[in-house]
Amino acid sequence: MVYTKIIVENSPALRGTVKISGAKNSVLPIIAASLLSYGEVFIDDVPELKDVNVMIELIKFLGAHCTFKNGKLKINVDIKDVEAPYELVKKMRASFLVMGPILAKLGHAKISLPGGCAIGTRPIDLHLKGFQTLGAQIDIGHGYVEARAKRLVGKKVYLDFPSVGATENIMMAAVFADGITTIENAAEEPEVVDLANFLNKMGANIKGAGTDTIRIEGVKELKGTEHTVIPDRIEAGTYMVAAAMTGGDVLIENVIVDHIKPIIAKLTECGIDVFEEGTGVRVKGKRNYKAVDVKTLPYPGFPTDMQAQMMAMMAGAKGTSVIIETVFENRFMHVDELKRMGADIKIEGRTAVVTGIDHLSGAEVKATDLRAGAALILAGLIAEGKTIINDVHHIDRGYVNIEEKLKNLGAIIYRVD
């Protein structure tokens, strides 16, 4: 087996322009939702990522016909199978999002219990509670979840936590349900809005996406459509932090500014200049930036998917910062790896106290999950010497050509086998 590593060396201030790809966390539910269509679906600005390929493989297994080239995905749906097998679902937790569409369309779905990054339990109980409320019978056994319903019926579904995945899955399940489904305490993330817009283009009747109450009136069928995926706000945030902490000057193109306001606010608090320019934002960094406190929250709060990257930045800040993780209980696995590079971080429960130091040191580290991998690349940019990052398959799940994009900005970064 060939193991790929990413090597990052101490790099100059990043300069230039980087274009942001379509959002991974948007396109995965949209591909799943295409199973609801009775016509041809065209999706544009699809990022060429491992997770996207897994989702395409999964819907193909279920009976869809797909062609994917140059960021354009064409899907013709003919669901032949109600079962999503372990071999595919274990690769990615988002695979579970096919359950709502299959249940809605065929009245029966059998899905292997999901895998994905080990950043916390992320239980599927909220998804199942929603399906049950709409009238599905749920059985769990032998590593599979099975849902059956002759006909789903619209009801009020209250989510104990505004889970993005549960909001999306229940919304997709409800599109053909009799009557009106209301999801209360729904997730408000831009990716939920993008999915609702896609479903509405196909003929669904969804109102309130982007607020905490979503109302879905059942329809008889959905037709084909064309849709362009929103830009990836986490990829944008990652390059913003890279520019900021290296003292660079980078224009980040293809950004929806409203989606990255919490990141802009924190960088501004650090003393970094961020301003809108055309369809993007320009970030002018400085080497001596201030430490700031960060608390992750569901949207529109600071995104948990940017916590690791901000921690890497705070490791080189002037002063001490407190980072509180409220979304996932096991999202500090990157701390030990940053400490290998000399970072001064103390953990107590869901709180990390980061005392900035003058110089991080290059070391051999491993990406424990997707965003941890990004954080280690960022730390490597300002560390003295070489940083060797292992387990880079995690990084490839969520970033399109990350080393090429950084190289074009002047970073010293490359892959080796």
Side-chain angles (χ1 to χ4, degrees):
M1 189 173 176
V2 176
Y3 291 95
T4 305
K5 300 176 188 232
I6 290 179
I7 314 285
V8 189
E9 297 185 25
N10 183 276
S11 297
L14 301 185
R15 298 190 182 279
T17 301
V18 62
K19 186 167 188 269
I20 298 307
S21 306
K24 171 185 101 93
N25 290 338
S26 215
V27 78
L28 297 176
I30 285 171
I31 294 171
S34 70
L35 293 171
L36 291 160
S37 164
Y38 287 93
E40 200 166 53
V41 170
F42 295 91
I43 309 171
D44 204 358
D45 213 1
V46 178
E48 305 209 10
L49 296 167
K50 277 189 177 177
D51 278 11
V52 171
N53 289 328
V54 170
M55 189 61 96
I56 291 170
E57 214 181 317
L58 178 55
I59 68 163
K60 276 182 174 176
F61 177 89
L62 296 166
H65 302 278
C66 307
T67 53
F68 181 31
K69 197 175 180 186
N70 300 328
K72 295 178 190 302
L73 176 60
K74 183 169 83 170
I75 304 169
N76 283 289
V77 178
D78 179 17
I79 307 182
K80 290 185 171 67
D81 209 313
V82 298
E83 184 175 322
Y86 171 73
E87 291 72 37
L88 290 171
V89 179
K90 72 173 181 182
K91 295 180 184 177
M92 182 182 67
R93 181 164 290 269
S95 309
F96 197 73
L97 290 170
V98 299
M99 188 163 220
I102 299 171
L103 179 62
K105 205 167 187 182
L106 301 181
H108 178 205
K110 185 178 178 183
I111 314 289
S112 170
L113 289 164
C117 276
I119 56 171
T121 53
R122 299 206 276 187
I124 55 166
D125 57 347
L126 295 177
H127 302 234
L128 302 182
K129 176 184 161 186
F131 299 151
Q132 281 177 313
T133 304
L134 300 181
Q137 181 190 329
I138 305 290
D139 294 300
I140 301 174
H142 306 291
Y144 279 81
V145 179
E146 199 160 0
R148 291 176 188 271
K150 279 186 180 168
R151 188 78 185 163
L152 294 174
V153 179
K155 290 275 172 67
K156 264 189 186 172
V157 178
Y158 177 81
L159 297 179
D160 298 327
F161 177 82
S163 156
V164 175
T167 301
E168 292 169 339
N169 226 344
I170 296 162
M171 188 161 73
M172 290 187 282
V175 292
F176 296 145
D178 285 337
I180 293 168
T181 301
T182 307
I183 306 173
E184 296 179 336
N185 198 29
E188 299 175 29
E189 270 74 358
E191 295 79 11
V192 173
V193 179
D194 203 24
L195 174 62
N197 289 341
F198 173 70
L199 290 166
N200 283 338
K201 281 183 188 176
M202 291 201 292
N205 186 349
I206 301 169
K207 294 184 173 70
T211 74
D212 64 357
T213 305
I214 300 176
R215 185 178 174 278
I216 307 112
E217 189 170 343
V219 297
K220 290 284 181 275
E221 66 171 47
L222 298 184
K223 60 185 188 301
T225 192
E226 294 181 16
H227 185 77
T228 301
V229 179
I230 59 170
D232 195 313
R233 62 194 170 102
I234 305 303
E235 188 193 16
T238 302
Y239 288 106
M240 289 167 72
V241 169
M245 65 195 284
T246 61
D249 180 357
V250 177
L251 175 62
I252 293 125
E253 287 190 326
N254 190 34
V255 179
I256 297 173
V257 173
D258 273 358
H259 295 176
I260 54 170
K261 277 184 175 172
I263 302 163
I264 293 173
K266 281 295 157 194
L267 290 180
T268 305
E269 213 180 310
C270 289
I272 307 295
D273 292 325
V274 184
F275 44 92
E276 290 183 47
E277 195 170 302
T279 57
V281 290
R282 182 175 289 278
V283 178
K284 287 190 172 180
K286 52 181 75 169
R287 290 281 185 174
N288 293 325
Y289 51 86
K290 289 186 297 194
V292 295
D293 295 341
V294 175
K295 183 179 185 178
T296 67
L297 288 165
Y299 190 84
F302 191 89
T304 179
D305 278 353
M306 281 299 302
Q307 179 256 103
Q309 299 91 309
M310 277 303 285
M311 191 181 288
M313 182 174 172
M314 291 303 100
K318 299 292 170 205
T320 299
S321 58
V322 176
I323 297 175
I324 302 170
E325 175 58 61
T326 74
V327 181
F328 292 128
E329 77 282 359
N330 194 22
R331 205 160 200 179
F332 282 150
M333 292 190 295
H334 46 277
V335 168
D336 285 342
E337 303 306 308
L338 288 170
K339 283 166 100 167
R340 286 174 65 80
M341 300 176 71
D344 183 351
I345 306 169
K346 292 178 179 64
I347 299 285
E348 196 172 307
R350 290 191 173 203
T351 301
V353 178
V354 186
T355 304
I357 60 171
D358 285 339
H359 300 291
L360 291 172
S361 307
E364 184 146 7
V365 291
K366 67 176 181 188
T368 51
D369 62 71
L370 166 55
R371 306 305 172 185
L376 294 171
I377 288 176
L378 299 184
L381 294 173
I382 62 166
E384 292 178 340
K386 274 186 190 179
T387 300
I388 302 162
I389 303 165
N390 294 283
D391 293 354
V392 301
H393 60 277
H394 287 299
I395 299 168
D396 295 337
R397 287 185 46 232
Y399 290 93
V400 178
N401 300 330
I402 189 165
E403 69 270 26
E404 287 306 312
K405 287 185 177 183
L406 284 169
K407 212 179 279 182
N408 289 339
L409 298 174
I412 304 166
I413 179 170
Y414 48 94
R415 261 175 211 246
V416 294
D417 290 332

